Amino acid sequence: RHDALYMPDSFGHIPCIPMICNGFGIDTYIFMRGVNDDIDPESRFWFWESPDGSRVQIFRLRDGYANAARLGLHRGTGEIMDKESSEIRPKFKMEFAVEQIRKAAEKQMDKMGEPFVLIAGTDHQIPQRELPDIMKNAETNQYTFRYGDWDEAAEIMRKKDRASWKTYRGE
């Protein structure tokens, strides 16, 4: 069973999306962009209600859908040619990757609380083979990294005290 609809790169959202989600048993809508000026730019969680009263909890990817992508790769510096594939690839540096993932995690840690989500991929990018080692090396008393999915994030959101979450209607 899936409880979340993930639409990261939509540029707008019709007011009936909560109704469509509810029709399929989905109570969580996850996206990155396409909000109007009524939405607090720092907010990650709220409720959205359709004209018929259908409602979903929102997880907005405030920091993007690639907030932990290309970790440890310096663009434009130290590039090397991969002779087997004839591709130019940036050199990987573990220290830089650890710094990047910790900064991305810190940015997620706001007053809204869990779930904190880092997305280590983006369009046209293969999975980064160093990711398990990056996660392990970046762990501290403050940061623990692990793999999860959107249904897990939706469940964490359901267990939160959501009394202070705003409800928005319309596009």
Side-chain angles (χ1 to χ4, degrees), residues 36-79:
N36 62 33
D37 292 338
D38 295 338
I39 306 296
D40 174 2
E42 294 302 313
S43 184
R44 291 185 297 130
F45 311 133
W46 64 83
F47 293 108
W48 185 19
E49 198 170 272
S50 280
D52 75 340
S54 299
R55 184 169 143 142
V56 291
Q57 61 181 7
I58 295 296
F59 187 129
R60 184 172 66 97
L61 304 172
R62 180 197 64 210
D63 303 331
Y65 65 88
N67 61 349
R70 299 182 53 80
L71 296 167
L73 301 175
H74 291 275
R75 286 188 170 188
T77 61
E79 293 180 349

Side-chain angles (χ1 to χ4, degrees), residues 109-152:
M109 295 177 144
D110 60 17
K111 64 183 177 184
M112 298 200 85
E114 293 185 293
F116 303 117
V117 174
L118 300 178
I119 303 174
T122 188
D123 300 356
H124 315 290
Q125 179 188 338
I126 62 171
Q128 190 171 358
R129 69 176 165 255
E130 300 93 356
L131 188 58
D133 289 333
I134 295 168
M135 292 165 56
K136 180 180 173 189
N137 287 324
E139 288 192 353
T140 65
N141 290 339
Q142 187 177 6
Y143 302 114
T144 301
F145 300 95
R146 64 181 179 78
Y147 294 98
D149 63 32
W150 289 121
D151 294 327
E152 181 182 353

Side-chain angles (χ1 to χ4, degrees), residues 70-74 93-101:
R70 299 182 53 80
L71 296 167
L73 301 175
H74 291 275
K93 298 282 187 199
M94 180 60 76
E95 302 81 23
F96 185 47
V98 167
E99 177 186 329
Q100 286 177 303
I101 199 170

